[in-house]
Amino acid sequence: MHFALADLRLFIHIAESPSLTQGARRAHLSPAAASARIKALEGQLDTRLLYRDSRGVELTPAGHKLLQHARLIMRQVDYLKSEFTEYGTDQAGHIRIFANTTAVTEFLPEVLAGFLAKRPGVTVDLQEKLSRDIVRGVLDGSTDMGIIAGPVQAEGLQVLHFSTDRLLLALPVGHPLATEKKVTLRQTLTYQHIGLHEGSTLLSFLRDQVERLGGNLSLRIQVSSFEAVCRMIEAGVGIGIIPESAGRRHSRTMRLAMVELDEPWAVRERSILVRELDALPGSVRALIATLKGEETSA
């Protein structure tokens, strides 16, 4: 079989759009021309790729499989192009990153600021995702690299450890639990918590742990950042479980008490997920080296 790269890119556009018309527009084609190309692609594969109706298009099981391969092929093409730019192997390219809440809000902005300042030809698409979506995104080629914390089931991926953080309990000064050396998650459930927004990795993780205990996580308010969590805690609105790195940073400017969590999952290993490190373009490898504290190479 011989597939045209333009047809694979068209298929990706349609698969990621609510309709064939919008997908065709993204590929700068008429709907009729796009439909003809997709039918020709289905003929080559001897299988149906799309369900079409008045509401739009939906991928068939075969379509989902082709989408996975098409994304990987087009990413490899993009990698090839980036390796031969005039800027050199790590000075240009587009990096896609799926990362957990702590990475997106706490340490990646500073890391990326320094990294990008030295590489004007590099652009980055950073998206906050749940751990399972990060793994899936790296596997299916939706992202170049993933950043997670804690244990992960990532068969078929390379897992690169780069730092360690821990979760702790942040409390207002004078709170009854503030005098404890260590507390369990169950002890905290008596009190109302300040939580992150729906869809955040940490909130999802904590809910899973509470569910295992058969308890209930009472959320007084949900906010969009660890700084906002800490401000609510300082004001006495509730308590919160946050990364130590965030707690130590915000405690410099806020009156907060920090208590260690007596839970095996409180220590969180941070890891980078990739499909194959050596196959990544220079810009992605350079960012990974930066995260790991290693010298970058051109």
Side-chain angles (χ1 to χ4, degrees), residues 102 105-107 165-168 170 202 225-227 229-230 241-254 256 258 270:
T102 306
T105 61
E106 287 299 307
F107 63 87
D165 200 4
R166 68 169 60 241
L167 296 175
L168 49 71
L202 181 56
S225 68
F226 289 119
E227 180 182 3
V229 169
C230 290
I241 294 174
I242 61 175
E244 182 178 28
S245 54
R248 299 303 176 198
R249 181 158 62 86
H250 294 302
S251 65
R252 298 186 193 121
T253 57
M254 303 181 203
L256 300 170
M258 304 290 176
R270 292 174 177 161

Side-chain angles (χ1 to χ4, degrees), residues 112-134:
L112 288 173
F115 179 82
L116 294 174
K118 298 175 183 176
R119 297 169 175 82
V122 175
T123 58
V124 171
D125 175 11
L126 173 62
Q127 297 184 35
E128 181 182 338
K129 298 283 185 178
L130 296 175
S131 294
R132 62 176 179 272
D133 296 325
I134 294 171

Side-chain angles (χ1 to χ4, degrees), residues 265-282:
W265 42 259
V267 176
R268 310 263 283 168
E269 301 295 334
R270 292 174 177 161
S271 302
I272 301 164
L273 303 182
V274 296
R275 285 179 63 91
E276 187 179 351
L277 181 61
D278 291 341
L280 293 171

Side-chain angles (χ1 to χ4, degrees), residues 68-116:
Q68 179 180 349
H69 288 292
R71 280 172 169 165
L72 291 174
I73 291 169
M74 298 314 301
R75 285 307 295 164
Q76 287 302 126
V77 171
D78 290 341
Y79 292 163
L80 180 63
K81 290 177 180 178
S82 72
E83 289 289 350
F84 289 91
T85 63
E86 59 181 318
Y87 300 105
T89 57
D90 73 346
Q91 295 298 307
H94 182 67
I95 306 173
R96 295 186 296 179
I97 308 169
F98 285 0
N100 66 357
T101 306
T102 306
V104 170
T105 61
E106 287 299 307
F107 63 87
L108 269 182
E110 183 177 354
V111 171
L112 288 173
F115 179 82
L116 294 174

Side-chain angles (χ1 to χ4, degrees), residues 179-199:
T179 58
E180 300 288 335
K181 289 186 177 180
K182 294 183 179 182
V183 295
T184 64
L185 176 61
R186 190 180 294 278
Q187 286 177 273
T188 74
L189 299 181
T190 306
Y191 305 93
Q192 290 185 308
H193 281 238
I194 311 300
L196 288 174
H197 56 87
E198 291 297 329

